[in-house]
Structures are given as structure tokens and as C-alpha cells.
Amino acid sequence: MTTEAIVDVGPVAHGGHCVARLDGQVVFVRHALPGERVRIAITERTKTFLRADAVEILQAAPGRVEPPCPYAGPGRCGGCDFQHVDPAVQRELLGDVVREQLRRLAGLTWDGVVEAVEPAALGWRTRVQFAVDDLGRPGLRRHRSHDIIPVDRCLIAHPDLPVVLGRTWDAETVESIVSSTGDRLLITDASISDEVEAEVDGVVATDGTVRGGRGSVTERVLAADFRVSGSGFWQVHPEAATTLVEAVIEGAGARQGDTVLDLYAGVGLFTTFLADEVGESGTVLSVESDPGGSRDARRNLHDLPQVTLVGETVERALRHGLLGTAADVVVLDPPRTGAKKAVQGIVDLAPRRIVYVACDPAALARDLASFAARGYELTGLRAFALFPMTHHVECVAVLERTSATAD
Ligand SMILES: C[S@@+](CC[C@H](N)C(=O)[O-])C[C@H]1O[C@@H](n2cnc3c(N)ncnc32)[C@H](O)[C@@H]1O
């Protein structure tokens, strides 16, 4: 069976690879760029496609660069997908992926660009979970594997993160967190030396128990502070929260007195700023199912009388009528899998606008098709490079009720 071959690389595809063909079969090739001719090593065969790594570049495309990280490349660390690509070209590739998903899954055309956010290449990741190998060395996982590649540095990690690398640990994982206010936390079950303890503000066990110091960090966005406990959800790029808040508030167009839903609300990031928009005569219903996130939200939002917290899954809250019978605006920011089961419930509330924040363009495109079938058209879409060097991209889509469905 062929294990190596030479292919001409076609377009980028969702997932950090490009598409090529080998003997009529689709091959998803990592570490390549569209337009290149490369030698591939096949890494996986399924009935319908192959996976492969580009192991030799025979004809390079103009966007190719020397990967800044020594651990990037075939068979090495799987944390980044595009270390071999100039950051501006990475954003073009991400734009092509968003375009393709929207076209294929929702029949939509989008001619926008993926916007850069600084830092736009390295040193951005404010939360990194390292895996620890049998010798106690921290590292990151090989692509599509449980194997741990020990590393002595990670170039996308924020420089102010508590230092995990270069030390040994007696636990399976160590997560390192630095907040926008400079709070530093470790999430681990490992023994903590006095030296490490002196470098951090708190240590939290993987079951959420506070082991020493504080169990949370404070994140500051514009002028608002948010408590985020342990490994509770918070965007990892230092400019992500502000960037998304501004895009969401602009997209929502909420007015004083409106009723707004913030679905999948986390610790209350969008809720806080939406509350400002609707004022005390309005209402924001903030829905979050994670108990830790809900606890933080209660604390972060306690001085906003127009906010009501709903500690439930979005699907159950919609199904059981916990969110009322009508809404003016709905904001949703679901996990990677999207909001398939929530679409009908949202439409039933007949909002004039829906703002959909998405970390997976495929799930977004699928759900946009569902909304379109129920009378909501896409009127705006912005995309942000909030995960440089990786294939991840964040989108903010604005949908409006078409006249056919407006009352
Ligand atoms: C992508 S995060 C967004 C959080 C928040 N909007 C932010 O930007 O900080 C998704 C959130 O949805 C929550 N979540 C996941 N599934 C949920 C569900 N079915 N119902 C309600 N919340 C859910 C997660 O706990 C997480 O806090």
C-alpha cells in the first residue's frame, strides 16, 4: 500500500488542512498550502478519504514561511495548524473556510475578510493546558493522538503565564492561566513547590477545589470586571472579549426598554454590556447551564436589576417557557457543536434580530440554514482571527426577520 506520494495541493478545508486528490480519492493534507506540490506521507485511511502530512515541499506557495516554532511540523506538536503560513495568509485561508462553509451548508455568499486582532501571531494564548508525560515532563499532544510531545516553550502562549515548562509535575495535566488584570492561576492536582506557589495567585485542583490562594481570576473588559473561577469559560486571546463585545453590541442594536436574551452566557460577559443598552426599563435574560459559570455570573451581575439569571440549559429553558413568550433581540454564543436544538425555540420568540457568535463555521452555517428556513436572513457577518497559528476562527453573524415574517 502506498505510504508516500506526490500531490498537487488544492483549496484549504475546515480543520487545518488542504484538499488534494490521489488516485481519485480525497486526501486531507496538513502542513501544506493551496497551490503547492508536495510529497505526502499518509497518516490515516478511511473508506471515504485519506489523511496525510506534507513531508517535503517540492513547489512552495508564496505564503509559506519557516515555522517560528521548533515543535511544529509533521508528527510533532498538534497544537498549531498554520505555523508554516504567513499570518496574513492564514487569515485569507480562514476566510476561504468561512466562505466555503456558508456556501456549501447554507447557500450563502460572503465576501468579507477575517479581521486581525493583536497580537496577531505569537504570545496570545492566556490559558494553556499542558499534558504531562510518564517522566513528569509537560508537553502538548500530537495531532489526533494521545501521545505527549514534551516541549520547553510554546510560542503562542502568553509571556506572562505562570511557568509550567522546564519543571516536572506529578499529575496528568497542568493548566496555566493569566488574566487581563495579571492574576495568575494553576489548575492541577500536582504537588506545588514553594517556588511555584510564590509565582501564582492561586492553585485549583482539577475537580475545582481551591488548593491554595485564590480560586479565581479577575478579567477586565472595557470598564467592567468579571470573576472567572478555575477553568471556567473565558476567551483565550487577550483582546477577544473586547472585540466580541463590541461586535455583539453593534450587531444587536438593542434599545432602551428591550427584552434581550443572552444564551450560553458564561460568566455574563455580553449580558453586562447588553444590560447597559436596554437600561433599567429593559430586561436581559442570561442563560448558562454550567454551575460554576452561573455562580460567577451571579456575582458579576448582582448590581444589574434588569438582569435575570437562568441556570438551565438553553434547550430546556426554551422548551419549558422559562424565557417568556417574546424577545426583541437574542444573542447566542454556543459551544463548538452549535445550537441546532435551540433554533426553533429562538424563532418562536420572534426576535427582530439574532446575533450568533460562533467558534465553528460549519455549525454556524448549518444553523444559519435552519434560521433562514424559518424566516431569518443573514444581514451581517464579521470574522476574527482570535486563535492565530490555528485553524480556529470566531464569527459574529447578525440575522434579521424578513418582511415576510415580520408582524
Ligand atoms: C462559547 S462559551 C460562551 C460564554 C460567553 N458568551 C463568553 O463569551 O464568555 C459557551 C458557554 O455555554 C455554556 N453551555 C454549554 N452548553 C450549554 C447549554 N446547553 N445551555 C446553556 N449553556 C451552555 C458553557 O458552559 C459556556 O459557558
Side-chain angles (χ1 to χ4, degrees), residues 233 264-266 269-270 287-290 312-315 333-335:
F233 182 86
Y264 312 91
L269 174 65
F270 301 143
V287 187
E288 167 60 44
S289 61
D290 177 60
E312 240 322 338
T313 67
V314 167
E315 302 74 19
D333 182 7

Side-chain angles (χ1 to χ4, degrees), residues 196-219:
V196 170
E197 198 176 329
E199 291 174 16
V200 296
D201 297 294
V203 181
V204 178
T206 50
D207 68 2
T209 316
V210 180
R211 298 179 54 203
R214 23 186 320 190
S216 63
V217 295
T218 300
E219 296 282 1

Side-chain angles (χ1 to χ4, degrees), residues 183-243:
D183 294 337
R184 291 145 64 87
L185 217 58
L186 285 179
I187 317 288
T188 186
D189 297 330
S191 319
I192 301 294
S193 66
D194 292 346
E195 186 193 5
V196 170
E197 198 176 329
E199 291 174 16
V200 296
D201 297 294
V203 181
V204 178
T206 50
D207 68 2
T209 316
V210 180
R211 298 179 54 203
R214 23 186 320 190
S216 63
V217 295
T218 300
E219 296 282 1
R220 185 159 300 149
V221 182
L222 302 169
D225 281 355
F226 296 85
R227 181 181 79 182
V228 184
S229 294
S231 51
F233 182 86
W234 189 258
Q235 288 283 352
V236 292
H237 190 290
E239 285 303 314
T242 307
T243 304

